Amino acid sequence: QLVMSAVCAASAVMVTRAVAAKTTNTRAGVSLPKARRGRASVATRAVELATGETLEVKPVPMRVGHGFDLHRMETLAEMPDLELWLGGIKLEHDRGCVAHSDGDVLLHCVFDAITGALGLPDIGQCFPDNDPKWKGCTSDVFIKEAVRLMRDSGYEMGNIDCTIIAQKPKISPHKKAIKENLARLLECDEGVVNVKAKTHEKVDSLGENRSIACHTVCMLVKV
């Protein structure tokens, strides 16, 4: 009986040591067992930017991105060629945006929200403001590129929420047209597009009608 007890005890020690060895963490230089390994890496998808650069996007189930843009505004009396565009809709105002393209802050930050969700470069890198090719370009061109990148990466728009910050003009009368046009440009249902507007309570350049800005958050869903 003593011999059998000793054998059982020795066996128990050997099993315990074996289990301990298998579960030793990687700091000790031993690989973790399969049950404790992290999620297996997923094959990435290559997408080509407008600049010709190719980058990789990992196809996770959902991606969230944020975009922000701000443009200085000047009076038409000083710069009569300026215009004010929001979401591809031209608004009548006594000021316009100073920009390399058409200065549409809403569409510019929508672009950055989409590429940000994909882990891709911002609008300034994709469409440099020192490239004469984009001088005066309408921002729908940028959104078409963002949609192409989204599709090529294997995603569609889950939902998008935009907040325009402007002291003047009043955005409310134009919200419906902006929302409809944004949904058309993004090739998605209007029900997943939201457009809000706020003043800046007459604080700093935004509140003094010397600039206009926009924040955008979007969620992309894997197709």
Side-chain angles (χ1 to χ4, degrees), residues 168-201:
K168 293 180 181 179
K170 284 286 272 188
I171 307 299
S172 296
H174 310 285
K175 277 184 182 178
K176 187 174 187 298
I178 291 172
K179 181 178 178 178
E180 289 174 352
N181 196 52
L182 187 54
R184 180 184 64 82
L185 291 173
L186 293 173
E187 301 176 9
C188 67
D189 190 278
E190 266 188 67
V192 302
V193 177
N194 192 36
V195 176
K196 309 189 300 293
K198 297 181 70 67
T199 69
H200 215 246
E201 298 296 333

Side-chain angles (χ1 to χ4, degrees), residues 72-152:
R72 188 174 94 252
M73 293 202 297
E74 296 290 350
T75 65
L76 301 187
E78 297 174 343
M79 304 179 72
D81 293 335
L82 296 183
E83 297 176 333
L84 179 59
W85 289 85
L86 279 177
I89 304 297
K90 185 179 178 181
L91 276 60
E92 295 302 322
H93 191 37
D94 62 356
R95 293 173 181 261
C97 285
V98 179
H100 185 66
S101 61
D102 63 4
D104 192 322
V105 291
L106 175 54
L107 295 189
H108 292 184
C109 80
V110 166
F111 181 96
D112 279 356
I114 294 173
T115 57
L118 296 170
L120 299 176
D122 60 29
I123 192 169
Q125 189 172 336
C126 293
F127 302 97
D129 61 8
N130 57 4
D131 188 338
K133 179 167 58 175
W134 310 119
K135 178 67 176 176
C137 181
T138 58
S139 294
D140 61 322
V141 172
F142 306 146
I143 296 301
K144 288 175 184 175
E145 173 64 5
V147 170
R148 182 190 69 80
L149 292 171
M150 177 177 68
R151 300 289 190 203
D152 287 356

Side-chain angles (χ1 to χ4, degrees), residues 22-25 32-39:
K22 286 184 180 180
T23 56
T24 301
N25 63 34
L32 294 173
K34 290 183 179 180
R36 292 185 57 190
R37 288 184 187 275
R39 181 183 298 175

